[in-house]
């Protein structure tokens, strides 16, 4: 069966520091992968999606970037964090029929 | 492009009572429809999905949803809620062949004893 993992689960970073959140999917090949963000009290915002290695689409302009160095690995990064980057970040992958499955999430607090 | 509206931001229900969460979508054809649940501090878990066929869909944890094309709705129901059903619920819509889902803003459910 397919599983998705992301880490770290919780992160507290100072303003201006870099960020790296990692996500891996097991049990499937060439999945569509996604990064979403939930700010406090708000819904889900799609940040990036990827249909293959090295193929990244950005949904909104922002301080973040994404990379897909391997088929089942998806990384969310920032060179310099802003306070507004705080939130709950969710990695997800797409199965057949547009069904999207989510990871456990990563809490980022920028201080 | 498709979109989703969840009219209720917050619903409070007594344990053992029935629950209905509303979801309205906008899409020209028959969409793919989903309900997810999110417990505090956790990721989203898929409750159920509708692609085609029988308009009444059964999901996990005793939930069901009904697709009504004439009303562009996909409401989620549970006959008797448990305290563990307290969570946030998201409705989502996707178009066949599209990579993305559009999510509603979510409905928070509080269960009182």
């Amino acid at each position: 069966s397919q599983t998705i993992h992301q880490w770290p689960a919780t992160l507290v970073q100072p303003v201006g520091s870099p960020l790296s959140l990692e996500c891996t999917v097991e049990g499937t090949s060439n999945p569509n992968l996604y990064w979403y963000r939930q700010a406090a009290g708000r819904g889900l915002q799609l940040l990036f999606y990827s249909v293959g290695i090295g193929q990244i689409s950005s949904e909104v302009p922002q301080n973040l970037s994404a990379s897909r160095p391997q088929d089942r690995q998806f990384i969310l990064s920032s060179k310099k964090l802003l306070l507004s980057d705080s939130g709950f970040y969710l990695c997800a992958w797409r199965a057949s029929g547009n069904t999207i499955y989510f990871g456990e999430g990563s809490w980022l607090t920028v201080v | 492009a498709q979109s989703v509206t969840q009219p209720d931001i917050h619903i409070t229900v007594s344990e053992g009572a029935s629950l209905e969460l509303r979801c309205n979508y906008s899409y020209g054809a028959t969409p793919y429809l989903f309900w997810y649940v999110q417990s505090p501090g956790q990721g989203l878990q898929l409750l159920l999905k509708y692609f085609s066929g029988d308009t009444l869909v059964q999901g996990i944890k005793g939930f069901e949803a009904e697709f009504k094309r004439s009303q562009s709705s996909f409401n989620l129901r549970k006959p008797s809620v448990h305290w563990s059903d307290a969570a946030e619920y998201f409705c989502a819509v996707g178009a066949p062949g599209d990579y993305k889902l559009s999510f509603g803003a979510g409905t928070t459910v509080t269960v009182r004893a």
Side-chain angles (χ1 to χ4, degrees):
Chain A
S1 64
Q2 300 88 358
T3 57
I4 180 169
H5 301 285
Q6 60 177 108
W7 68 94
T10 305
L11 199 60
V12 180
Q13 291 285 96
V15 170
S17 65
L19 171 72
S20 180
L21 299 179
E22 292 197 34
C23 171
T24 60
V25 181
E26 298 174 0
T28 185
S29 59
N30 197 30
N32 293 157
L33 296 172
Y34 305 81
W35 279 110
Y36 286 85
R37 176 171 62 196
Q38 270 184 307
R42 302 183 66 178
L44 287 156
Q45 180 185 34
L46 178 61
L47 302 176
F48 302 95
Y49 71 92
S50 171
V51 300
I53 295 175
Q55 300 178 65
I56 310 294
S57 296
S58 174
E59 287 294 297
V60 293
Q62 57 206 318
N63 185 43
L64 303 169
S65 62
S67 61
R68 185 168 176 176
Q70 299 181 42
D71 181 42
R72 290 170 289 171
Q73 183 183 26
F74 204 23
I75 298 172
L76 183 70
S77 303
S78 174
K79 292 182 179 178
K80 290 184 178 182
L81 285 168
L82 306 172
L83 286 174
S84 58
D85 292 323
S86 294
F88 191 48
Y89 289 84
L90 290 157
C91 182
W93 72 280
R94 174 176 171 256
S96 61
N98 281 42
T99 305
I100 290 180
Y101 294 95
F102 289 84
E104 306 94 339
S106 298
W107 280 105
L108 170 65
T109 302
V110 183
V111 296
Chain B
Q2 63 270 26
S3 65
V4 178
T5 301
Q6 293 180 246
D8 304 304
I9 297 173
H10 191 194
I11 287 180
T12 299
V13 60
S14 298
E15 191 170 15
S18 64
L19 174 68
E20 182 167 12
L21 303 182
R22 296 184 291 163
C23 172
N24 295 102
Y25 69 88
S26 174
Y27 182 64
T30 300
Y32 295 159
L33 294 161
F34 307 83
W35 274 101
Y36 290 86
V37 60
Q38 184 180 33
S39 296
Q42 298 187 18
L44 277 70
Q45 181 182 22
L46 180 67
L47 282 175
L48 48 79
K49 57 188 176 184
Y50 172 80
F51 293 160
S52 64
D54 192 346
T55 56
L56 185 63
V57 180
Q58 301 299 319
I60 62 172
K61 304 186 178 189
F63 284 92
E64 66 178 24
E66 186 171 13
F67 170 58
K68 292 186 177 181
R69 183 191 306 274
S70 61
Q71 298 177 21
S72 297
S73 69
F74 188 56
N75 294 348
L76 182 71
R77 298 192 293 256
K78 185 169 184 177
S80 177
V81 300
H82 185 262
W83 64 266
S84 60
D85 294 321
E88 190 160 18
Y89 292 79
F90 292 93
C91 181
V93 61
D98 194 351
Y99 295 120
K100 298 173 285 186
L101 296 183
S102 295
F103 285 84
T107 298
T108 300
V109 173
T110 298
V111 180
R112 59 182 174 219

